[in-house]
Structure formats: C-alpha cells, structure tokens
Amino acid sequence: MAASPPVAPRPHPLAVAARFVMLALVALLTLITTRDPDRLWWIVALLFLSIPGVIAPRHRVLAPAARFAEVVVVGLAASDVAGAASAVGSLGPGVGAEVILPYLAVPLTVAALQRRSREGAVLLGAAAGTLLASGAVNMTATGPQIAQIGYMAVCAQWLILGGLGTFAADTLRRWMLVRETKPQPYAEATRLLTQLRSVARQLPGATLDPGGIAEHLLEELRAVAPADRAAVLTASGGGRLVVLAQSAMERVDWETTLDADSAIADAWASQQPATASRSQSRSHRGAEVSALVVPLVAGVRSIGLVVVEANSSLAYPAPVVAKVTAVTGPAALRLEAALLFDEVRSLATNEERQRLAREIHDGVAQELVMVGYGIDNALATLPEDAKETAEELRTLRGEVTRVITELRLSLFELRSEVDRHGGLAGAIAEYARTVGSAAGLRVHYTLDESTARLPAATEAEMLRIAQEAITNARKHAGASNLWVTCEVDPPYARIEVSDDGQGMADKRPDGRYGLAIMNERAERIRGRLEIRPRNPSGTTVAVVLGASPRRDSVRDSVNAPEGE
C-alpha cells in the first residue's frame, strides 16, 4: 500500500490577517505622507511578494526567498517614500522612512516563529544593507540621503525594534512549544518510569535495593577509613532513623532519634560531617572511641547518615574525613533513587491492594451474601416433608457461609498495613489474632521488637510473608495451635510461624504456589526463607533478614512442650 503524500501545512488565519492589516496600514500611511498614489506601487510589490508566505509558509526555498525579497523591497521603499515625503514638506528630511519600515516586523516575526534564527539575522543584515545602499544612491537638495540625521535615526530605530521583536517572537515560540508539548501527568509518569527501568537495568545487579546499596557503601568505606562499627541510617518519618545496613562484631544499638544530643543529630541538622569522642550507639561500653557521622545529602535534602566508629582516639583526621565524603557523595544519589523507587513501588502496591479489596467487598462478597439470604428464604418456605432437599440446602448454606468467611479474611489481609506507630510485631499479632479467632486456633505469641524500625518497604514485605504463612496454616494444616515469633532488631529481623498440623508445607494441598510467593518476597528484601518440620508435628516457616547480632537468642517457643 503506497504511503500518502504529506499534507502541506495550512497558513494560520490570524497570521494571514495580521499580514494584510499591516499592508493596509503601511499603504494608508504612505498615501497620507507622500500625497502621491503612484507610491503605492511599493505596497503592490509587497502584496505580490507576500503570496508565497500565505500559500506555502514553510516551503524550504520559496518562503525564505520571498521573505528576503520583502525585506529588500521595504528598504528600497523606505528610501523612496522618505524622499517623496521631504519633497512635499509633510515630514522632516528622511523621517518619512518610518511610514513603511514597520512592515519589517512581518518577515522577521515569521522567521522567528518558524525557528529560523539564522534567517532572521540574515534578514536584519539585508534590511540594514539595503537602507544604507539606497540612502547613498538617492540624492536630495542637501546631498545624499544617508547624510540626513532623520533618515539614519529612523532606520536605526526600526532595525533595533526589528531585532528586539525577533528575539521576543523566538522566546514566545519556545514558551508556546513547551506548553503545547507538555505531557499529561500519566504520560510524564510513564516516561519517568520507563527511564527508571532502563537505568535500573544498567546498575550493578540490575537492582534499586536500598539495603544492597547501603551494604555496598559500607564495603567501600572499609577501604578508606578504620571502622570497628559502621552503619547506614535513613529517615523513616516522625523524627526517627532506621538502620539500612550495619557492620560490627557484636550487637550495636545505634542512636536513631534526631532530637538527642549526639553527633548524629548535629550532622543531620547541619548537613556537614561531625566527629565525636564518644560512641553514637546506646549499647557500646568501650573506653577510647572515635566516631564520624557523614550526612548523605542529595541536592538540598538529607536522606540518610553514615556512621563509622573506631576503638581508638583521633581516628578520623581531616584527610580521612575527606576520603569518606568523597565516597558518600555519589552514594547519596544512588540511595535516594533506591528509596524513591521503594516508595513508588509501595504506594502502587498498597493502592492496588485497596482497590482489589473494594472491588471484592462491593462485588462478589455482596452477591454471595444475597445468595445466602436466598437459601435462607428457600429453607423457610420449604414444605416439611422435603427433608432431603432441606438437608442439601443447609449444606449449601454452610458452604456459602464458609466462602464468605474466607472472603472477609482475604479483605482483612488486603487492608492490613504496618502502622508506623504500632510496628511490625503489632501488625502481625493483630492479623494472627483475627485469623485465629475466625478459624478456632489457639495463637501463642513471642514478640521482641526494638525501638528502631526497619524500612517501611521491608516491613510491608515481611508482614505479607507472615500473612501467607498464617493463611496456609489455617487453610491446609488442620492445626489446633499456632505459634508466632517476631524478633526485630534492625537491620536484623526474624519471623516464625509454626503449627501443630499435618506436616511439611510443600506437601499440603495448596502446592508450591504460596511457597513461591513467599520466596519472591524474601528475595526482594534480600532475606531468606526457611521451611522445616516442627517436632513432634507440624511445620515451621521462617523469614530471616540479616544476621542476628544478639548473643542471647529469643526463647524458641515453637519447640516448647505443649502447655508451657
């Protein structure tokens, strides 16, 4: 199929009208000034030369040639009209050129609006050259026209105005182009996300994981500064920090409040490196300590802090601080991109979960309730001798009730979120309590959560893993008891869900789909999923994030004897 020829651009009606209004104005002024109708032949010439600009305003050859001819004719006409006006005494010597020079704005403006900056400069040069040449050729009673102060002043005035008008028209064109081509919000979001995906694929490991970037930063710092302990912290809202990654031989309870009297708070507020002779953790009891806190600043905003400590005095002189800041500077931008990506992903996920919950609640859940009411009505109107039919309806009513209960639990799961004040342990405990109550399970809790918090995206993923494990135990294990253990000591966290049901999770009727989902979520937060049999019966599902810094582990309640 042959391609259709391109459609020639049509002239804008306002541009055509402006051109002819200017011609009419110049013609009227010329007639009044010279009092000679014969001088209007210049206007006729300009009218003839304007035809290509009306018919083919964007022709690559014809349109620029016509505009160049217009400028030359204007220059010649200005000299001639100025001489005629001086002869009749209507205006001073040479001043009559100003009645036709306003038409210079037409070709110059058209060239500027069509993004022809070089052409505009050429047209201005042609106008100046024509005015000078015609002024030198035309002789008056006092000598060459170019010697008249009035003529030169008028020519200079309109050439300057033409140059300013060209610049203004070019600026207006650029502004209008930006407004016309500004994408809609969703188009802009699509463009930015596409760019983000392309950039993410070029990163080491093709990831935008804040924890991975933080750990890589700590590895880089080991090569430039002594560090017995180090951590990367970022803001979590509410004037607190969360630990993204840390390195130490033992447990470190870092200071995470920004209103405390510490180098951490000073560095955050000043956005400048801060040193101290005492540890920035609440658990270190060492003697000599040197601490260095470097803010991670992206643009004008603090997004996190790097804390390094050494068990010696004066470990961070100015040269070492300079080396550390040289490493943390580029890392700040990488970390900000990862945090923003995490936030966008969390917002999109939460919005989709809420949307699904609304659709289920307003759709299939309501329809199932109506089905249940219909079965109840059928039972109420059934004859007494239809016992077999009544029993089948009761069985059907029980099944509908079971499905409605499942839907309500699914809605609760979709809407469950980690409260920024209640914490991860509180959210898991609330979900386990609700599910246990609905399923008739006895739920046993072991909750050990520090005041420090995990990143919001990590908490959300761990909550979803716990929900999946609890749901699988309720649906398929046939258990009577459920043990839930939650230990959070950022950046370490461990969640265990155990039951006393029928055995290994991967042998249950739900197959491996739930296991695959939990595995994907664990990999997303750089954790590991553990599934093992529980003694004497049942299954334990655990998700572990990081390595435990504690020497005294939490009591393993899931292996405790019944009744303890």
Side-chain angles (χ1 to χ4, degrees):
M1 183 175 179
S4 59
V7 179
R10 301 179 62 183
H12 198 285
L14 289 178
V16 176
R19 181 185 290 271
F20 288 111
V21 167
M22 181 63 74
L23 274 173
L25 177 62
V26 170
L28 180 62
L29 292 175
T30 300
L31 185 61
I32 294 174
T33 303
T34 62
R35 304 171 189 174
D36 183 6
D38 292 339
R39 302 296 175 180
L40 294 180
W41 75 271
W42 292 111
I43 310 303
V44 176
L46 290 175
L47 178 62
F48 175 77
L49 293 173
S50 68
I51 294 176
V54 173
I55 298 177
R58 294 186 181 273
H59 194 278
R60 296 183 61 181
V61 177
L62 189 60
R67 286 191 288 269
F68 184 84
E70 284 183 292
V71 167
V72 172
V73 169
V74 167
L76 297 174
S79 176
D80 183 62
V81 171
S86 299
V88 298
S90 59
L91 291 174
V95 179
E98 67 179 357
V99 302
I100 201 166
L101 283 176
Y103 191 80
L104 274 179
V106 174
L108 292 174
T109 302
V110 172
L113 292 178
Q114 292 186 7
R115 291 180 288 182
R116 297 174 178 268
S117 302
R118 292 184 179 179
E119 182 186 331
V122 171
L123 293 179
L124 274 174
T130 305
L131 288 170
L132 290 175
S134 58
V137 171
N138 287 341
M139 302 299 292
T140 65
T142 59
Q145 194 176 48
I146 197 173
Q148 295 176 345
I149 297 178
Y151 177 79
M152 295 301 295
V154 168
C155 291
Q157 171 189 339
W158 282 103
L159 287 173
I160 293 172
L161 289 176
L164 293 176
T166 302
F167 175 76
D170 185 67
T171 304
L172 177 63
R173 188 266 309 168
R174 295 178 185 274
W175 179 75
M176 292 175 63
L177 183 64
V178 170
R179 289 180 59 89
E180 289 174 0
T181 59
K182 184 178 180 180
Q184 296 299 318
Y186 279 100
E188 180 72 5
T190 301
R191 182 183 66 81
L192 292 175
L193 289 174
T194 302
Q195 291 179 350
L196 178 61
R197 180 182 62 186
S198 300
V199 172
R201 289 175 175 174
Q202 299 171 9
L203 295 176
T207 181
L208 280 172
D209 173 47
I213 292 175
E215 289 187 357
H216 181 69
L217 174 58
L218 293 181
E219 292 177 1
E220 289 182 305
L221 290 177
R222 292 193 191 102
V224 299
D228 294 300
R229 295 167 298 282
V232 177
L233 301 91
T234 187
S236 66
R240 298 190 66 83
L241 301 170
V242 296
V243 180
L244 285 179
Q246 69 173 342
S247 62
M249 297 299 295
E250 58 185 11
R251 180 182 184 274
V252 179
D253 186 13
W254 294 103
E255 178 63 59
T256 57
T257 58
L258 292 175
D259 54 359
D261 182 15
S262 64
I264 286 179
D266 294 342
W268 183 272
S270 65
Q271 294 188 339
Q272 296 294 326
T275 57
S277 57
R278 61 186 177 90
S279 176
Q280 299 303 298
S281 70
R282 294 182 289 234
S283 57
H284 184 69
R285 296 293 181 267
E288 290 185 333
V289 173
S290 295
L292 171 63
V293 184
V294 180
L296 297 171
V297 181
V300 296
R301 191 169 66 93
S302 297
I303 61 168
L305 296 170
V306 173
V307 185
V308 289
E309 291 187 354
N311 294 329
S312 59
S313 60
L314 304 177
Y316 303 111
V320 175
V321 175
K323 291 180 181 179
V324 171
T325 54
V327 173
T328 58
L333 186 59
R334 296 196 298 268
L335 185 59
E336 183 187 36
L339 292 171
L340 288 174
F341 182 74
D342 246 15
E343 184 178 355
V344 170
R345 182 171 58 188
S346 298
L347 289 173
T349 302
N350 292 338
E351 184 177 336
E352 183 65 12
R353 293 178 71 90
Q354 296 300 322
R355 185 189 67 80
L356 287 174
R358 289 192 300 269
E359 289 189 0
I360 293 174
H361 179 271
D362 298 337
V364 65
Q366 298 298 330
E367 293 174 2
L368 282 173
V369 169
M370 297 304 297
V371 170
Y373 289 157
I375 295 174
D376 291 339
N377 291 334
L379 280 170
T381 59
L382 201 66
E384 294 183 1
D385 57 347
K387 295 182 179 180
E388 185 176 348
T389 304
E391 185 61 28
E392 291 178 354
L393 286 176
R394 291 190 187 95
T395 302
L396 181 60
R397 183 64 174 92
E399 187 65 18
V400 171
T401 302
R402 183 191 67 79
V403 173
I404 291 175
T405 302
E406 291 286 341
L407 278 177
R408 286 174 176 168
L409 289 174
S410 296
L411 289 174
F412 178 70
E413 179 179 346
L414 286 170
R415 289 173 172 168
S416 295
E417 300 294 340
V418 179
D419 184 5
R420 295 309 296 167
H421 301 288
L424 177 60
I428 293 175
E430 180 185 4
Y431 183 79
R433 180 171 57 250
T434 302
V435 172
S437 176
L441 291 170
R442 286 195 303 166
V443 183
H444 311 268
Y445 306 100
T446 301
L447 307 178
D448 183 10
E449 186 172 23
S450 72
T451 56
R453 297 293 295 271
L454 292 165
T458 302
E459 288 184 337
E461 293 293 353
M462 298 199 76
L463 172 62
R464 302 307 174 203
I465 294 173
Q467 287 176 336
E468 182 69 26
I470 293 170
T471 299
N472 287 342
R474 174 183 66 84
K475 286 184 176 181
H476 308 292
S480 301
N481 291 274
L482 194 67
W483 288 268
V484 178
T485 300
C486 180
E487 180 184 359
V488 180
D489 186 17
Y492 168 79
R494 180 184 185 88
I495 297 173
E496 284 189 359
V497 177
S498 298
D499 63 72
D500 58 357
Q502 65 185 20
M504 291 296 290
D506 57 353
K507 296 180 181 178
R508 295 174 184 168
D510 59 328
R512 294 182 176 273
Y513 183 65
L515 177 60
I517 292 176
M518 289 188 287
N519 259 319
E520 290 174 0
R521 292 188 182 277
E523 290 175 0
R524 192 176 299 163
I525 57 175
R526 304 175 73 253
R528 63 185 185 275
L529 190 69
E530 301 174 355
I531 300 178
R532 61 181 183 273
R534 178 187 176 275
N535 187 30
S537 66
T539 303
T540 295
V541 178
V543 58
V544 183
L545 184 66
S548 175
R550 294 180 184 268
R551 294 180 177 176
D552 53 334
S553 60
V554 177
R555 181 176 61 89
D556 188 8
S557 62
V558 298
N559 292 322
E562 297 284 341
E564 263 194 30

